[in-house]
Amino acid sequence: MTVSLNHTIVPAADNNREADFFADIMGLERLPPMGARGHFAPVRVDERLTLDYMTVENPEGHHFGFDVDPATFDAILARIQERGVPYGNHPATPDNGRIDHPLCPRGLFFTDAVRNLYEIMSPE
């Protein structure tokens, strides 16, 4: 059997707010609540993977990296700029407004309210 990641839990101060923020910026589908008590707020990343946001006490941010095609990168960057979300080219400076990523031709980092760090990388 091939191993593939099905979902991962994303820590959040408010699972719905963080899931909506990520889905909105990335242009992804926000799914209905899941879990025995509906305590997960999932976002569909692709046909196999969801990020399941869960409200926790004292959430600590995690790093999530995504490869995207150039058109998707442009759309994400446009949404980030339209919403005034800080972004940058390095995890230490996710607010410098640059997209000259050290590992690919174009890339950026942005954070959510609990400092989850999202990395978007494009080959062009």
Side-chain angles (χ1 to χ4, degrees), residues 7 13 55 72:
H7 70 277
T55 302
T72 301

Side-chain angles (χ1 to χ4, degrees), residues 56-121:
V56 298
E57 284 189 43
N58 306 311
E60 294 182 14
H62 293 273
H63 179 177
F64 302 93
F66 300 92
D67 291 323
V68 299
D69 61 69
T72 301
F73 182 88
D74 291 340
I76 291 167
L77 179 59
R79 286 189 291 271
I80 284 172
Q81 291 172 331
E82 287 169 5
R83 289 154 182 81
V85 174
Y87 65 94
N89 68 333
H90 192 275
T93 54
D95 59 356
N96 67 11
R98 294 172 44 186
I99 61 169
D100 55 319
H101 193 283
L103 302 177
C104 61
R106 293 191 309 158
L108 61 84
F109 296 84
F110 68 95
T111 61
D112 64 17
V114 300
R115 305 289 300 161
N116 284 307
L117 181 68
Y118 301 99
E119 181 178 16
I120 313 302
M121 299 175 286

Side-chain angles (χ1 to χ4, degrees), residues 42-53:
V43 176
R44 168 79 45 214
V45 175
D46 62 23
E47 60 279 348
R48 293 184 176 184
L49 176 65
T50 61
L51 296 187
D52 296 354
Y53 288 77

